[in-house]
Amino acid sequence: MKTIFYRGIRREKRPLPDGYLFTNRDLTRLIAPLVVEQILAVTVGMVDTMMVSSAGEAATSGVSLVDMINNLLINLFAAVSTGGAVVSSQFLGQKKRGRACEAANQLILVTGLISLVVMVLSIVFRKGLLTLLYGNIEPDVMENALIYLVICAFSYPFLAVYNSCAALFRSMGNSKISMEAAIVMNLINIVGDGVLIFGFHWGAAGAATATLVSRAVACVILLRRLHDPALEIHVRLKGAKFRGRLVKSILNIGIPGGIENSIFQLGRVLVVSIIAMFGTTQIAANAVANNLDSMGVLPGQAMNLAMITVIGRCVGAGDFPQAEYYAKKMMKITYLINGLCCAGVIFTMPLTLMLYGLSEETLALAAVLVLIHNGFAILLWPASFTLPNVLRAANDVRFPMCVSIVSMITFRLGIGYILAENFGMGAVGVWAAMVLDWLVRVLCFAGRYRGGKWKRFSAA
């Protein structure tokens, strides 16, 4: 057993039989279910948009506008969950199982409390929120958006706790369980959409109700399974109290990530508000393109989550050579599978666009937006979004936050508005500015990683 010192902290580095913390089989067992889970997670929103399109463009636009807000909040919950996952992974790397379980309890309590507050605020200030973000949108679009927002708000606590449980299972290297829960969630959502939208003709209300029920069931499934004491990390919420030091550790990582993700998603909402100035057709085209684009980067989203688990465990063990080894290896995997998936979305567009019951003008614009996004995503997306998770897993969270916020405001919003409004490019101009935002992020994150400063941040 070798003793090492990292920033004055004495740690025992326990050698593994093969010299590596994760074998290729371990990585496969972690990543493959995550890819499936991410596909299913996106399918919830995609099925809602597809099925509700039968109720007309007003319903489609209303759902898409609220989905942008939902994505903002989902990413807020996910960021706090990531903070808990990093802390738990690092404790496991240090062989401190008890502390990892304590961190898990605190994560569930914190995300549950935050989501309840968000739920209440979203319901109370629903109309003011939509008006603030999107201005004076058409009355029928606003009516559908209000209905969809209120019902979806009741699902926020379930979604937040579900994300936390899934993050904890990933910390243990077990993503299969959360994948199974995601399968159940999607089946309920698809059946619910079919019955409520086509059977009862509830439109946006039907889509939101199906989403609410599916998220509640998935949350209960994961929370019950996480109570198993045989698990490496398990929770016991009965009688649990807030532990200030652990909550602080989680929030020190989660809050910068939450700010970054929230502002990023807020930027996307503001981008849609720019596009909304050009009418319902461009709003609907943007909604369709967002659905298809998200399918293209699903492998990258899965690798983002896997990177937290793997690098966090290496950092907890104080083994930065392995952290670098796995970072490079997983980035290569990300570029390969992300590129194949983006190309697949582009080549299958003639078929997938036929699933949307919208006008030819709307679908033609959506196709252009998909080409812009997925074409450049093959080269830029992994380094823009997966690489910074190496930094976050090592507690270097403020640099990615600052870069993302500044780049979003300056390029995606500032340049996007200029291209859309002053040059009359509309949605195409906004999406061109998005590519410029990616390029800036790549340059900053690649420089930070190569410089090695991320290794200087203390572990949990």
Side-chain angles (χ1 to χ4, degrees):
M1 186 179 295
K2 181 180 178 182
T3 300
I4 61 173
F5 291 85
Y6 177 60
R7 295 200 67 169
I9 302 174
R10 183 178 183 273
R11 295 195 179 129
E12 301 296 335
K13 183 176 178 181
R14 295 172 173 81
L16 296 176
D18 59 357
Y20 292 97
L21 290 174
F22 294 86
T23 65
N24 289 335
R25 184 179 180 183
D26 291 333
L27 293 178
T28 301
R29 291 174 61 186
L30 173 65
I31 295 169
L34 282 176
V35 173
V36 176
E37 183 182 346
Q38 290 304 299
I39 292 173
L40 295 173
V42 169
T43 301
V44 172
M46 193 171 184
V47 168
D48 283 351
T49 303
M50 284 181 176
M51 291 194 175
V52 84
S53 66
S54 65
E57 293 198 355
T60 304
S61 297
V63 169
S64 71
L65 293 179
V66 174
D67 272 340
M68 299 298 292
I69 299 174
N70 285 341
N71 288 336
L72 186 156
L73 297 175
I74 288 169
N75 278 273
L76 171 64
F77 303 147
V80 179
S81 298
T82 296
V86 169
V87 172
S88 297
S89 293
Q90 291 180 356
F91 278 136
L92 289 181
Q94 298 170 24
K95 309 300 180 183
K96 296 179 179 178
R97 183 188 175 197
R99 295 286 285 167
C101 293
E102 289 180 18
N105 280 335
Q106 299 307 303
L107 175 61
I108 301 296
L109 292 175
V110 168
T111 52
L113 178 61
I114 292 174
S115 60
L116 284 172
V117 173
V118 171
M119 179 192 74
V120 172
L121 293 177
S122 298
I123 294 173
V124 173
F125 299 106
R126 56 191 181 277
K127 189 166 186 178
L129 177 63
L130 291 171
T131 302
L132 175 65
L133 294 174
Y134 301 118
N136 296 318
I137 56 179
E138 298 173 15
D140 52 349
V141 175
M142 175 62 82
E143 181 182 358
N144 281 279
L146 286 170
I147 293 171
Y148 191 70
L149 175 59
V150 170
I151 298 175
C152 281
F154 285 103
S155 74
Y156 294 159
F158 297 114
L159 181 62
V161 174
Y162 167 84
N163 281 339
S164 296
C165 293
L168 292 171
F169 277 113
R170 289 193 296 270
S171 296
M172 294 181 274
N174 186 347
S175 55
K176 182 180 178 181
I177 292 177
S178 56
M179 178 193 72
E180 293 169 349
I183 291 173
V184 173
M185 178 168 62
N186 275 263
L187 289 175
I188 293 174
N189 185 66
I190 292 172
V191 173
D193 278 344
V195 172
L196 298 177
I197 294 175
F198 295 115
F200 289 88
H201 306 288
W202 284 11
T209 302
T211 298
L212 167 60
V213 174
S214 66
R215 287 174 175 172
V217 172
C219 171
V220 171
I221 291 173
L222 286 191
L223 195 56
R224 285 179 62 87
R225 298 198 69 170
L226 204 57
H227 276 75
D228 183 357
L231 294 174
E232 198 172 13
I233 296 177
H234 62 273
V235 298
R236 280 289 179 270
L237 298 179
K238 186 177 181 180
K241 299 179 180 179
F242 284 99
R243 307 284 184 185
R245 186 173 179 181
L246 275 177
V247 171
K248 182 179 179 181
S249 296
I250 292 171
L251 295 182
N252 278 343
I253 299 171
I255 287 179
I259 293 173
E260 175 188 343
N261 288 345
S262 297
I263 291 181
F264 179 79
Q265 292 300 324
L266 177 61
R268 294 188 67 189
V269 172
L270 295 177
V271 162
V272 174
S273 70
I274 296 173
I275 295 173
M277 297 187 301
F278 296 90
T280 302
T281 295
Q282 294 220 6
I283 296 175
N286 185 73
V288 173
N290 276 329
N291 280 166
L292 297 180
D293 291 343
S294 60
M295 296 298 291
V297 297
L298 283 177
Q301 298 283 7
M303 295 301 295
N304 289 353
L305 300 174
M307 193 74 83
I308 291 291
T309 297
V310 174
I311 303 303
R313 189 77 65 92
C314 294
V315 170
D319 195 334
F320 283 96
Q322 283 207 58
E324 288 185 320
Y325 167 78
Y326 285 116
K328 293 174 182 177
K329 181 173 184 173
M330 295 177 72
M331 283 300 296
K332 291 177 183 177
I333 296 172
T334 305
Y335 265 102
L336 175 61
I337 59 178
N338 196 74
L340 291 174
C341 201
C342 284
V345 169
I346 291 174
F347 289 128
T348 58
M349 259 200 307
L351 296 176
T352 53
L353 289 176
M354 293 173 62
L355 299 174
Y356 295 88
L358 303 173
S359 66
E360 290 186 9
E361 180 184 3
T362 299
L363 296 179
L365 177 57
V368 173
L369 300 181
V370 172
L371 286 172
I372 292 173
H373 182 283
N374 282 20
F376 284 97
I378 294 173
L379 298 175
L380 301 176
W381 198 95
S384 181
F385 293 97
T386 305
L387 182 60
N389 270 10
V390 176
L391 312 182
R392 296 184 185 104
N395 296 353
D396 185 6
V397 292
R398 289 179 175 78
F399 180 81
M401 177 188 71
C402 294
V403 169
S404 299
I405 292 173
V406 172
S407 182
M408 162 66 74
I409 295 173
T410 304
F411 298 99
R412 190 171 296 211
L413 290 179
I415 301 300
Y417 180 82
I418 292 172
L419 294 178
E421 178 69 15
N422 294 2
F423 287 82
M425 295 175 66
V428 173
V430 169
W431 286 55
M434 171 196 68
V435 174
L436 184 58
D437 170 40
W438 288 357
L439 180 60
V440 172
R441 289 167 59 95
V442 169
L443 294 175
C444 293
F445 295 143
R448 181 73 163 192
Y449 175 79
R450 290 177 62 85
K453 192 173 182 179
W454 57 279
K455 303 175 189 177
R456 304 175 190 174
F457 292 80
S458 60

